[in-house]
Amino acid sequence: AAGVIQSPRHLIKEKRETATLKCYPIPRHDTVYWYQQGPGQDPQFLISFYEKMQSDKGSIPDRFSAQQFSDYHSELNMSSLELGDSALYFCASSKGREPFNQPQHFGDGTRLSIL
Amino acid sequence: DAKTTQPPSMDCAEGRAANLPCNHSTISGNEYVYWYRQIHSQGPQYIIHGLKNNETNEMASLIITEDRKSSTLILPHATLRDTAVYYCIVRVLYSGGSNYKLTFGKGTLLTVNP
């Protein structure tokens, strides 16, 4: 079965640079979530989109922005990168309609390293 | 979302059943219990979820107590590839705004030994 696709898998940037992470949800999934997992930490929710509209916001820095496009893929844009942004970034997708208990399915993540 | 409490680590012998407990004593009536696992640095993998009835799928079984204050994830025949961090997460069924984020706690590191 098709899964959530994230690109790139690995990304190396320097401080103050920008980065764009992409997420392609499972076909027919209309909801996308972004999570950040720092070294030795548990995944933390950043932001989510349902039908191309922001639906929830977590601990996402103001330097980060995201959007969901008409084909439901999503991009996480990160600017003025800091050393502390080094982390795994996961995207998950689900169907946002009934039944509302449908689980989220995660991609393999993008490992972002800031030098 | 309700908080969950899990033991930080557990060991299990290969081929034996692994029983992973989770306490969620403040769970509300409209909250589901979800289980995910994360194999080292991979994306979290969905395992199973339930509301109040026991559930079973090809990966595991979920036993929820009658008062719904705790649950147990059962891997019937653990293999070395089941070594992972297992997360028990309580999530609201419907909140009106599609804000169904998952709040990950510390989870249980299950180590399956040969």
Side-chain angles (χ1 to χ4, degrees):
Chain A
V4 177
I5 306 297
Q6 292 188 246
S7 67
R9 291 298 310 278
H10 303 273
L11 189 59
I12 299 175
K13 292 285 185 178
E14 295 191 354
K15 288 194 302 183
R16 293 180 290 278
E17 287 191 321
T18 62
T20 297
L21 281 53
K22 297 184 178 182
C23 169
Y24 297 87
I26 292 172
R28 292 179 294 282
H29 280 191
D30 51 20
T31 305
V32 169
Y33 307 80
W34 286 95
Y35 294 82
Q36 178 192 57
Q37 185 173 27
Q41 304 295 313
D42 303 299
Q44 298 294 315
F45 171 74
L46 291 178
I47 196 167
S48 63
F49 292 87
Y50 168 63
E51 283 288 351
K52 293 152 280 184
M53 298 291 289
Q54 181 181 310
S55 57
D56 198 5
K57 194 172 182 179
S59 51
I60 183 169
D62 292 340
R63 300 176 290 108
F64 294 5
S65 65
Q67 57 183 324
Q68 186 180 31
F69 295 86
S70 58
D71 63 351
Y72 295 106
H73 94 272
S74 178
E75 295 183 1
L76 178 65
N77 299 294
M78 310 160 73
S79 63
S80 303
L81 289 169
E82 302 174 356
L83 294 177
D85 297 328
S86 294
L88 277 166
Y89 290 83
F90 293 108
C91 173
S93 74
S94 70
K95 287 184 180 180
R97 301 184 183 91
E98 296 185 29
F100 294 103
N101 63 345
Q102 296 180 74
Q104 298 174 28
H105 295 275
F106 286 76
D108 288 333
T110 293
R111 181 177 294 279
L112 176 64
S113 300
I114 310 301
L115 304 179
Chain B
D1 292 346
K3 292 183 178 179
T4 61
T5 304
Q6 299 177 250
S9 63
M10 294 182 63
D11 287 324
C12 178
E14 188 177 20
R16 304 296 295 269
N19 297 277
L20 292 90
C22 178
N23 286 320
H24 31 79
S25 58
T26 60
I27 193 170
S28 299
N30 65 342
E31 291 179 318
Y32 270 71
V33 179
Y34 291 78
W35 282 84
Y36 283 78
R37 72 180 182 183
Q38 187 174 28
I39 299 170
H40 182 62
S41 295
Q42 295 181 19
Q45 179 187 21
Y46 164 75
I47 302 173
I48 199 168
H49 72 280
L51 181 62
K52 55 183 178 180
N53 298 319
N54 298 338
E55 302 287 345
T56 296
N57 63 20
E58 65 278 5
M59 289 185 66
S61 294
L62 174 60
I63 308 298
I64 302 174
T65 58
E66 191 169 345
D67 63 7
R68 302 210 321 123
K69 293 184 177 182
S70 66
S71 59
T72 301
L73 178 73
I74 301 172
L75 306 179
H77 306 286
T79 70
L80 300 180
R81 288 179 292 182
D82 291 322
T83 292
V85 176
Y86 287 77
Y87 293 99
C88 169
I89 300 170
V90 171
R91 200 210 78 184
V92 66
L93 170 62
Y94 177 71
S95 67
S98 295
N99 49 336
Y100 305 123
K101 64 180 181 289
L102 296 176
T103 301
F104 289 82
K106 290 300 179 185
T108 296
L109 173 60
L110 175 68
T111 302
V112 181
N113 301 304

